[in-house]
Amino acid sequence: MSTAPNGPLSSGALVMVDIPGPTLDDDTTAYLRRHGVGSVCLFRKNVESETQLSGLCADLRAVMGEHALIALDHEGGAILRPLFWPFAPGAMSLGAAGDEALTADVNAALARQLRRVGINWNFAPVLDVNVNPANPVIGERAFGAEVELVTRMGRAALAGHDQARVAACVKHFPGHGDTSLDSHLALPRVDKPREDLEAGEFAPFRDLLPVTPAVMTAHIIYPALDPARPATLSRAVLTGLLREEWAYDGVIVTDSMGMKAIDDHYGRGEAGVMALQAGADLVMALGRREAQEATLDAIQAALDRGALDAAQMRASVHRLEILAARYPAQADDTLDPQADAALLESAWARGLSAYRQPVAPAPGSRVLLVAQAKVPRENVSEASVDARTLADDLRGVYDVHLHAFEDPAHLDWNALRAHGLPVILATTSRHRHAALRGVRPDLHLALYNPYAALDVDAPALVTYGFQPEARRAALRWLSGDLSATGTLPFPA
């Protein structure tokens, strides 16, 4: 929603919201217009089919205008909302493959999926350097644990998005890779001296700023920069470091202000104003309508009383309009996401990695598969594969006896061994389970969190994800038709 150069500023021009469902109802339309909202983030609740999603984006653009920004978390791996397109591998799978051209091609394919329906902003790639194997929220969403690898793959991911004409957004600035808390649930701290941050967390963001259309902030306190406020609310971080020291003039968007790192400590309205004062251009006010309106009302009140610098806010609106003009929210129905299916299938296979020289049981043999019965959706990720589906997959190679568990702490490994069959353990959840540390199956299929391979005392095949393409790559390896040529992009 454009704001006239010298006209009144609208809080909706500085706020991104989400909407309730898969269609734009009259009440939501009136709400967006009343506040002059120009940016919307879509989630799984907003996605049913390609046709429906195209219609929703067209309706949003008609309401929000030519400078509409319609965003989605479409990283690849487990962070994908539409379930009707071929699945792209996540960042760490691409890091394991180590091929910049492949990373660029996969990210262009992700962007083409979005542009097909009129989404013009992807909250990807992740530039966090995941040096903490216990990180509860980043993990395989990062390209790896090395600054050079993350920077190289991040550059390729940004190029792929730009080639396909969808705005990328690097995250989570200035770095979420060395945290042991999830900012969805708590307020993390990274207690490192400035020189360590410069050499580690900061490096990919700083080095890629010239090719970065937008930056998403992290709800994390970095005492070396600001001992009191998380980066999202810190003028020292967003203005002092990013704008002034590094001379960045692209868009700065906050992560969701509904995450407990912010909501539990500052409150929505106050935090929204603080983020804009710190230097953010766009506040992501997601969640209940009353929480969104608290943010919109607080920002409007701050604008009206002069608590927000008018020139700074107009500069923010201008940046957002430049982003939307460069990457317009116009659907291109000449694009066919199915045309990228072979590319994405091959990309998953390229990332497949071996740990401790795994050997597959002979095809046709009887095996015992141990897998979690059902894995629920966890925060930002979609639901993982269930044990029965996985057993059906493996029956293409083996005579499978399935042992589905609810809680790995209740597994009796002596009893499982007593079957006298080769034991294949599949780990399929985002979080590592302490109960699996040191257990000794014959083969471990690490089908989600790759760091689970470090827990289980067995050779492992690491897929970096559970999507059908990842499982087909694993089946090809089990059948002897595919070698695991990826390299674990973290210390083993």
Side-chain angles (χ1 to χ4, degrees):
M1 186 70 67
S2 179
T3 299
N6 297 304
L9 282 163
S10 163
S11 63
L14 301 163
V15 172
M16 171 175 276
V17 302
D18 62 324
I19 59 175
T23 59
L24 192 58
D25 58 80
D26 291 344
D27 176 66
T28 304
T29 297
Y31 166 67
L32 296 176
R33 284 184 171 144
R34 182 168 67 252
H35 290 286
V37 172
S39 307
V40 164
C41 185
L42 301 179
F43 290 91
R44 187 75 192 87
K45 64 185 177 181
N46 307 120
V47 177
E48 288 181 341
S49 69
E50 188 176 82
T51 300
Q52 165 271 325
L53 189 53
S54 293
L56 175 60
C57 291
D59 291 343
L60 285 169
R61 190 174 188 275
V63 170
M64 295 191 295
E66 64 177 340
H67 294 120
L69 289 166
I70 305 172
L72 194 71
D73 287 299
H74 202 56
E75 297 174 18
I79 319 298
L80 295 163
R81 307 309 172 214
L83 305 180
F84 40 76
W85 290 322
F87 292 99
M92 194 166 282
S93 176
L94 295 170
D99 184 334
E100 295 101 311
L102 180 68
T103 296
D105 287 345
V106 167
N107 278 266
L110 280 166
R112 283 191 291 270
Q113 292 175 349
L114 299 185
R115 196 158 64 85
R116 160 83 181 185
V117 296
I119 295 169
N120 60 337
W121 200 3
N122 188 10
F123 290 149
V126 169
L127 293 189
D128 302 315
V129 183
N130 199 80
V131 295
N132 184 352
N135 195 318
V137 70
I138 303 302
E140 87 297 339
R141 298 170 65 194
F143 290 109
E146 296 290 335
V147 167
E148 183 276 334
L149 177 66
V150 172
T151 304
R152 186 159 50 91
M153 294 300 147
R155 188 181 301 278
L158 287 163
H161 276 82
D162 191 61
Q163 173 209 325
R165 290 182 288 158
V166 168
C169 180
V170 301
K171 58 189 187 186
H172 305 82
F173 174 78
H176 209 320
D178 195 12
T179 56
S180 55
L181 296 175
D182 180 350
S183 51
H184 291 84
L185 307 173
L187 179 57
R189 294 170 60 93
V190 174
D191 287 296
K192 290 183 176 180
R194 175 71 184 260
E195 56 267 29
D196 290 353
L197 294 171
E198 290 280 359
E201 279 85 345
F202 291 0
F205 294 98
R206 182 189 61 235
D207 293 352
L208 297 180
L209 284 181
V211 290
T212 294
V215 172
M216 181 183 289
T217 67
H219 303 327
I220 299 172
I221 292 176
Y222 303 81
L225 300 174
D226 186 331
R229 292 185 177 183
T232 297
L233 309 181
S234 171
R235 191 164 180 85
V237 175
L238 301 190
T239 297
L241 178 64
L242 190 52
R243 292 282 189 222
E244 296 175 353
E245 281 192 48
W246 294 355
Y248 182 62
D249 197 36
V251 167
I252 301 175
V253 57
T254 75
D255 206 341
S256 170
M257 303 296 270
M259 293 159 63
K260 289 181 180 294
I262 298 296
D263 213 12
D264 283 3
H265 295 83
Y266 300 95
R268 290 295 189 91
E270 179 187 1
V273 173
M274 291 169 67
L276 293 173
Q277 290 171 333
D281 298 305
L282 189 66
V283 174
M284 200 186 298
L286 307 181
R288 307 179 316 278
R289 175 72 65 82
E290 55 266 32
Q292 294 181 17
E293 290 191 317
T295 303
L296 287 159
D297 292 346
I299 291 172
Q300 191 63 57
L303 288 168
D304 294 343
R305 71 175 184 270
L308 288 168
D309 180 81
Q312 181 184 327
M313 296 306 103
R314 291 188 194 284
S316 290
V317 173
H318 185 57
R319 289 188 192 100
L320 294 165
E321 291 181 346
I322 289 173
L323 187 70
R326 182 178 175 187
Y327 304 98
Q330 294 174 327
D332 183 351
D333 60 10
T334 68
L335 298 173
D336 179 12
Q338 300 305 322
D340 289 318
L343 162 68
L344 300 181
E345 188 95 14
S346 173
W348 280 102
R350 293 273 305 279
L352 207 65
S353 303
Y355 173 66
R356 293 172 58 178
Q357 301 179 313
V359 176
S365 60
R366 184 164 172 76
V367 300
L368 174 63
L369 173 64
V370 180
Q372 190 166 350
K374 189 173 183 180
V375 186
R377 188 180 188 280
E378 298 182 60
N379 277 342
V380 294
S381 67
E382 299 301 327
S384 184
V385 62
D386 62 88
R388 195 169 298 278
T389 298
L390 193 53
D392 289 342
D393 285 348
L394 263 64
R395 288 191 177 104
V397 181
Y398 299 117
D399 178 8
V400 178
H401 176 68
L402 174 63
H403 182 91
F405 63 84
E406 300 290 342
D407 182 344
H410 298 155
L411 290 170
D412 183 338
W413 286 92
N414 289 329
L416 294 171
R417 283 279 183 200
H419 288 277
L421 301 174
V423 178
I424 299 176
L425 169 67
T427 52
T428 54
S429 63
R430 165 169 288 285
H431 298 294
R432 295 159 68 180
H433 290 291
L436 294 177
R437 288 178 190 151
V439 301
R440 303 183 69 184
D442 297 291
L443 175 65
H444 175 201
L445 300 180
L447 298 177
Y448 194 167
N449 189 324
Y451 297 94
L454 308 181
D455 297 331
V456 177
D457 187 13
L461 181 73
V462 182
T463 65
Y464 308 96
F466 55 80
Q467 303 291 11
E469 291 87 344
R471 304 197 314 265
R472 287 195 290 269
L475 290 175
R476 288 178 61 197
W477 180 85
L478 291 167
S479 301
D481 296 333
L482 179 68
S483 297
T485 59
T487 301
L488 287 179
F490 55 83

